[in-house]
């Protein structure tokens, strides 16, 4: 790995860690809001199409009703295999 790539990888990780620390109060408030508004779970895991169509698992805050993806599949709302 070249020095430039190593420096970028290090800066990416340090920047991500710093952003996580700075934004953690916002994430905690958002999680509390979701719990109070619509209950658990707060975090939603979903498969998404990635580079060259290779699926990857993504975590995000749940902003829909619980079981929305399964309900959408039952109602045949989309042909998208990723929800």
């Amino acid at each position: 790995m070249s020095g430039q790539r190593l420096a970028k990888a290090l800066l990416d990780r340090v920047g991500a860690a710093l952003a996580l620390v700075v934004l953690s109060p916002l994430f905690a408030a958002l999680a509390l809001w979701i719990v109070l508004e619509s209950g658990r779970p707060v975090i939603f895991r979903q498969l998404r199409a990635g580079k060259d169509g290779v699926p990857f698992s993504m975590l995000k805050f749940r902003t829909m009703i619980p079981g929305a993806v399964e309900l959408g599949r039952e109602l045949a709302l989309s042909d998208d295999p990723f929800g």
Side-chain angles (χ1 to χ4, degrees), residues 17-52:
L18 183 61
L20 187 59
V21 169
V22 169
L23 294 173
S24 62
L26 178 65
F27 293 156
L30 185 57
L32 180 62
W33 185 9
I34 291 170
V35 167
L36 294 175
E37 187 73 21
S38 61
R40 295 183 184 264
V42 172
I43 302 294
F44 175 71
R45 181 183 303 264
Q46 186 177 41
L47 281 177
R48 292 286 178 102
K51 185 175 180 181
D52 298 323

